[in-house]
């Protein structure tokens, strides 16, 4: 075979192979298109379609009076399917729409928006074009629905507003922030949001979404969509006004003493309802914020110090027949037991003290001598009393993360000959503030120990789903005889003892100061954990309260100087507001409606003019523009109500008009509810403010 014939043969064979391969491709394409087309279309749809969850609207959290503490506010993500509008409507409105989008978002020019939407309209297939990732408020969304093209609606204009909810705190993120808490996308969190997440979260729905070019998902609204079930609402026992007082007073004294952290818990004696719970810790910046629940959690678990002496005295009175007037020699300021050297706050010693004064003056030596006399050799009996009082067990509080108390046993390896005496004065153990408060509240409540309540109801719309009632933990922690002795001693603490600095003539306080060395790296330091726990009015207890301030700096680092003043400020506020505590004062101060007009506070010249027109005797002794009324003998004296730069003014008693004028001129955002004059304000007078702060006003 010639070379020419050989080349020709090879060429024909190659052509034949290529032809066969081409025919096979055509056959395969035809098969895919016409024979297996439906099969592959369904498979493609399956890959591009997906059921996704529709989040439920989270339930609200309310204060005791129904005020909102936390709610969910809808925001919207704007997208558009540019293929939906008809040509006439699209061409007529695209220029105006592009101008409005460019002006609103200020991120692209008019021409860029116009080109972006037009290009997407020309592309094949469905389109889900996100115009800007920024979330819109409801008012912004409402405004956009009136824009060209968008005003035709979703199915004719192509505008898609996807709802996304965000948690909002009407009182700002400072008031009871840790108590309200949070929950993140992984269901981790803290506070009420976490503890009641099952109720608040609701049940997510489900809808079919189609995956579009660019990885975006577009919802397909069909009959397979399962609607979300909204979360339940919870009503707490928190009193907004008292919560604000507790936080403000605590923060002031934390700053004053440059302390590391502090907490306050205020409880109603007979119901166990928590009216205020504040936790503030120091940030690296030197400011304070609610970053941890020291009142309940493990970081607040520590040696309580002398507040524990109430439990020691209770055990002594239950075990023995000692009298309050029995005398104990408290040495000359120092006393050694085993390897323990005890000292009292008075360096030269107290000499002889009665049992009552041992407690009132918080004598460590006197306490240890009583324990030595009655429990030496029988320490297990003392520990059994403490356990019987319920101080060794968690109370199963409604907030998750409650710390477990630590009470030693004589059988423990760490027990020593001095352990009994250390324990009697509040060392070699660990209690959190909520456990100490629960115990003190039982003394105020005639020996009945009840569980503290923070949430009292769970609601669905107006229907009550669940109610939490007062739960008794111990029907009687000690005898009435012991209770009587304890209350006398607790009153003496404030009358003549370590807390005499908070004594007042209006009502009596019963309580106990505490000062304990703090522990770091398992060693006691020279910094202190200070506290005051008690109840008021002492003769008819209505509220119990504990205040803790840890590691104060400066010369005065005792519970009486650091924590007790916070207790008194809160108690004074309650006394001023609670008519039941001083009915005769209320009658004297509030004139009858038909005898005298209600005058509170406002712009001095306006109020003076009003009184003159009504023939009411009044005297303007103030030089300030803003005044408050001092009424006596059917006459009014106007007192100064100074407005100081950078400090929150006092607007209580003013009309909403006057309050708005003052606050908004200071750059403060105002939220209010109710009718009438300002009854309460969420940020107390005298607190430092910054422009942009938000204040909540309650009118009534």
């Amino acid at each position: 075979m010639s070379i020419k014939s050989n080349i020709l043969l090879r060429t024909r064979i190659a052509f034949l192979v290529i032809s066969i391969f081409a025919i096979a491709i055509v056959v395969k394409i035809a098969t895919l298109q016409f024979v297996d087309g439906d099969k592959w279309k369904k498979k493609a749809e399956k890959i591009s379609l997906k059921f996704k969850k529709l989040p439920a609207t989270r339930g609200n959290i309310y204060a005791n009076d129904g005020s909102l503490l936390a709610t969910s506010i809808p925001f919207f993500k704007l997208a558009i399917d540019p293929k939906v509008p008809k040509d006439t409507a699209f061409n007529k409105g695209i220029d105006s729409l592009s101008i409005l989008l460019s002006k609103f978002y200020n991120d692209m020019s008019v021409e860029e928006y116009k080109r972006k939407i037009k290009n997407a309209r020309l592309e094949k297939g469905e389109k889900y074009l996100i115009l800007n990732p920024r979330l819109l408020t409801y008012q912004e969304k409402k405004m956009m629905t009136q824009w060209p093209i968008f005003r035709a609606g979703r199915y004719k204009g192509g505008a898609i507003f996807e709802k996304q909810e965000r948690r909002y705190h009407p009182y700002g993120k400072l008031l009871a922030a840790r108590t309200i808490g949070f929950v993140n996308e992984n269901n981790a969190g803290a506070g009420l949001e976490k503890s009641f997440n099952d109720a608040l979260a609701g049940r997510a729905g489900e809808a079919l979404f189609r995956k579009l070019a660019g990885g975006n998902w577009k919802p397909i609204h069909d009959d397979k969509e399962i609607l979300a079930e909204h979360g339940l609402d919870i009503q707490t026992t928190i009193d907004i006004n008292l919560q604000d007082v507790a936080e403000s007073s605590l923060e002031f004294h934390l700053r004053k003493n440059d302390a590391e952290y502090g907490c306050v818990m205020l409880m109603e004696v007979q119901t166990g309802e928590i009216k205020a719970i504040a936790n503030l810790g120091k940030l690296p910046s030197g400011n304070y914020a609610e970053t941890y629940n020291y009142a309940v959690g493990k970081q607040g678990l520590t040696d309580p110090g002398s507040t524990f002496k109430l439990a020691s005295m209770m055990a002594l009175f239950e075990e023995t027949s000692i009298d309050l007037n029995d005398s104990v020699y408290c040495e000359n300021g120092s006393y050694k037991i085993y390897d323990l050297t005890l000292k009292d706050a008075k360096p030269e010693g107290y000499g002889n003290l009665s049992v009552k004064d041992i407690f009132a003056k918080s004598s460590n030596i006197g306490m240890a001598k009583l324990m030595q006399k009655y429990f030496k050799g029988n320490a297990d009996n003392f520990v059994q009393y403490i356990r019987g009082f319920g101080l060794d067990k968690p109370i199963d509080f409604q907030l998750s993360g409650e710390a477990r108390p630590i009470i030693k046993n004589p059988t423990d390896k760490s027990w020593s000959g001095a352990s009994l005496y250390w324990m009697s004065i509040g060392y070699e153990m660990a209690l959190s503030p909520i456990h100490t408060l629960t115990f003190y509240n039982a003394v105020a409540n005639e020996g009945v120990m009840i569980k503290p309540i923070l949430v009292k109801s769970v609601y669905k719309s107006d229907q009550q789903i669940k109610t939490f009632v007062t739960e008794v933990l111990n029907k009687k922690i000690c005898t009435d005889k012991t209770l009587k002795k304890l209350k006398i001693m607790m009153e003496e603490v404030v009358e003549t003892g370590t807390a005499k600095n908070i004594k007042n003539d209006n009502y009596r306080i019963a309580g106990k100061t505490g000062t304990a060395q703090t522990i770091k790296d398992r060693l006691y330091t020279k910094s202190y954990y200070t506290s005051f726990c008690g109840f008021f009015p002492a003769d008819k207890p209505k509220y119990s309260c504990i205040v803790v301030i840890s590691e104060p700096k400066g010369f005065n680092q005792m519970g009486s100087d650091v924590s007790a003043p916070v207790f008194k400020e809160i108690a004074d506020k309650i006394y001023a507001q609670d008519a039941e505590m001083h009915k005769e004062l209320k009658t004297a101060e509030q004139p009858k409606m038909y005898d005298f007009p209600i005058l509170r506070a406002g712009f001095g010249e306006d109020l003076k003019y009003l009184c003159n027109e009504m023939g009411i005797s009044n005297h303007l002794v103030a030089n300030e523009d803003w005044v408050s009324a001092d009424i006596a003998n059917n006459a009014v004296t106007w007192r100064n109500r100074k407005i100081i730069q950078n400090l929150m003014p006092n607007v209580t008693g003013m009309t909403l008009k006057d309050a708005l004028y003052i606050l908004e001129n200071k750059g403060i955002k105002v939220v209010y509810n109710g009718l009438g004059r300002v009854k309460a304000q969420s940020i107390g007078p005298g607190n430092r403010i910054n422009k942009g702060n938000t204040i909540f006003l309650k009118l009534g």
Side-chain angles (χ1 to χ4, degrees), residues 436-690:
T436 300
L437 178 63
T438 303
F439 176 69
Y440 271 67
N441 192 79
V443 174
N445 198 29
E446 302 301 330
V448 182
M449 181 178 281
I450 56 178
K451 181 192 291 188
I453 299 173
L454 185 59
V455 174
K456 60 182 182 181
S457 302
V458 178
Y459 286 89
K460 183 177 183 180
S461 298
D462 293 330
Q463 181 185 357
Q464 199 171 71
I465 303 298
K466 187 174 183 180
T467 302
F468 298 93
V469 296
T470 302
E471 182 179 337
V472 176
L473 300 176
N474 190 331
K475 291 182 180 179
K476 199 74 171 176
I477 60 171
C478 65
T479 63
D480 289 335
K481 185 178 180 181
T482 294
L483 283 173
K484 185 178 180 180
K485 292 177 181 178
L486 295 174
K487 288 180 179 179
I488 291 172
M489 291 194 308
M490 292 173 74
E491 284 193 58
E492 196 64 28
V493 170
V494 180
E495 290 298 307
T496 64
T498 54
K500 61 185 177 183
N501 57 311
I502 65 169
K503 177 184 175 181
N504 69 89
D505 297 328
N506 296 318
Y507 61 95
R508 293 172 71 89
I509 296 171
K512 182 71 184 76
T513 55
T515 308
Q517 287 180 276
T518 59
I519 300 176
K520 286 187 179 178
D521 300 325
R522 298 186 179 182
L523 295 172
Y524 285 105
T525 68
K526 290 186 178 181
S527 58
Y528 296 92
Y529 173 91
T530 74
S531 60
F532 184 88
C533 192
F535 50 82
F536 62 95
D539 56 336
K540 193 178 180 181
K542 189 170 183 179
Y543 295 98
S544 58
C545 181
I546 186 168
V547 178
V548 167
I549 293 181
S550 185
E551 298 183 55
K553 313 295 189 299
F555 179 75
N556 294 320
Q557 299 182 37
M558 309 295 285
S560 56
D561 300 308
V562 180
S563 294
V566 180
F567 184 102
K568 184 177 183 296
E569 286 177 15
I570 296 169
D572 283 348
K573 178 71 173 180
I574 293 173
Y575 176 79
Q577 292 182 344
D578 197 324
E580 292 182 5
M581 293 187 187
H582 49 109
K583 290 181 180 178
E584 69 288 346
L585 182 60
K586 180 178 180 181
T587 304
E589 286 189 345
Q590 293 190 357
K592 294 179 181 179
M593 287 288 289
Y594 52 80
D595 283 341
F596 204 80
I598 295 176
L599 298 169
R600 295 287 184 269
F603 188 63
E605 291 300 326
D606 288 350
L607 292 172
K608 184 178 179 181
Y609 174 80
L610 178 65
C611 287
N612 290 339
E613 287 294 307
M614 297 178 68
I616 298 172
S617 175
N618 68 103
H619 308 281
L620 190 64
V621 298
N623 294 321
E624 299 290 327
D625 289 336
W626 301 97
V627 297
S628 58
D630 185 1
I631 302 171
N633 300 320
N634 289 334
V636 181
T637 301
W638 303 112
R639 304 292 182 189
N640 278 344
R641 188 169 278 195
K642 291 185 177 180
I643 309 298
I644 302 173
Q645 189 176 6
N646 297 328
L647 295 182
M648 180 60 68
N650 181 5
V651 296
T652 55
M654 292 185 180
T655 62
L656 179 60
K657 174 186 171 184
D658 286 343
L660 286 174
Y661 178 85
I662 293 173
L663 295 170
E664 290 182 349
N665 273 309
K666 282 182 167 284
I668 301 167
K669 296 178 182 177
V670 180
V671 180
Y672 62 90
N673 73 352
L675 297 171
R677 293 175 177 270
V678 179
K679 187 177 181 181
Q681 58 188 81
S682 61
I683 303 177
N687 283 299
R688 187 162 294 280
I689 56 173
N690 298 305

Side-chain angles (χ1 to χ4, degrees), residues 161-434:
F161 293 95
E162 263 191 57
K163 188 170 80 168
Q164 297 184 10
E165 293 187 337
R166 295 290 183 269
R167 213 59 172 154
Y168 173 68
H169 297 168
Y171 289 90
K173 291 189 176 181
L174 296 178
L175 194 75
R178 190 67 185 190
T179 303
I180 296 170
F182 68 94
V183 170
N184 63 21
E185 63 234 4
N186 299 318
N187 273 338
L192 291 168
E193 295 277 17
K194 173 61 178 175
S195 303
F196 285 81
N197 189 43
D198 289 344
L200 290 165
R203 185 177 298 172
E206 196 174 67
L208 191 62
F209 284 73
R210 173 170 288 138
K211 191 174 185 180
L212 303 176
N216 294 313
W217 292 87
K218 177 183 176 181
I220 299 172
H221 297 278
D222 59 11
D223 56 357
K224 295 179 182 178
E225 184 172 330
I226 301 172
L227 296 177
E229 186 177 322
H230 297 329
L232 304 177
D233 299 332
I234 63 174
Q235 185 172 23
T236 71
T237 59
I238 295 293
D239 183 303
I240 289 295
N241 294 327
L242 298 181
Q243 178 71 30
D244 182 50
V245 171
E247 288 187 12
S248 298
S249 180
L250 179 62
E251 182 176 3
F252 176 81
H253 287 274
L254 284 169
R255 290 183 183 278
K256 177 182 176 182
N257 294 284
D258 192 22
E260 289 304 307
Y261 74 82
C263 65
V264 172
M265 286 192 79
L266 176 71
M267 182 160 71
E268 212 168 52
V269 169
Q270 294 186 347
T271 65
E273 291 189 2
I274 300 295
K275 294 302 175 184
I277 174 170
N279 294 274
L280 294 172
K282 185 192 278 187
L283 303 174
S285 64
N287 291 322
Y288 290 88
E290 290 216 350
T291 56
Y292 187 81
N293 194 337
Y294 299 100
V296 177
K298 287 183 179 179
Q299 290 185 37
L301 192 71
T302 188
D303 293 320
S306 293
T307 52
F308 190 79
K309 289 175 181 175
L310 184 69
S312 300
M313 283 293 189
M314 184 181 287
L316 281 164
F317 290 143
E318 290 290 276
E319 176 72 9
T320 72
S321 59
I322 59 173
D323 187 76
L324 291 178
N325 294 317
D326 288 350
S327 181
V328 176
Y329 179 57
C330 296
E331 306 294 331
N332 295 314
S334 180
Y335 183 62
K336 190 168 185 178
I337 307 177
Y338 295 100
D339 59 344
L340 169 65
T341 300
L342 289 167
K343 293 185 178 182
D344 280 335
K346 189 177 180 181
E348 65 273 21
Y350 291 109
N352 288 311
L353 285 178
S354 66
V355 171
K356 180 174 69 175
D357 284 337
I358 286 173
F359 188 83
K361 298 184 185 303
S362 202
S363 170
N364 293 329
I365 295 171
M367 189 78 250
K369 280 199 162 187
L370 287 171
M371 299 300 293
Q372 191 176 32
K373 182 175 181 179
Y374 295 106
F375 283 109
K376 184 180 180 181
N378 196 14
D380 186 62
N381 196 22
F382 171 74
V383 173
Q384 289 309 311
Y385 272 115
I386 301 305
R387 295 186 182 279
F389 300 153
L391 286 168
D392 65 324
K393 296 179 278 293
I395 58 173
D396 191 25
F397 190 48
Q398 291 172 310
L399 285 182
S400 57
E402 178 192 348
R404 186 179 187 88
I406 300 171
I407 300 293
K408 291 175 71 169
N409 275 315
T411 55
D412 292 343
K413 290 182 180 180
S414 59
W415 188 274
S416 69
S419 290
L420 172 66
Y421 312 107
W422 272 123
M423 286 183 68
S424 71
I425 61 173
Y427 284 93
E428 289 197 11
M429 64 176 66
L431 296 179
S432 58
I434 194 172

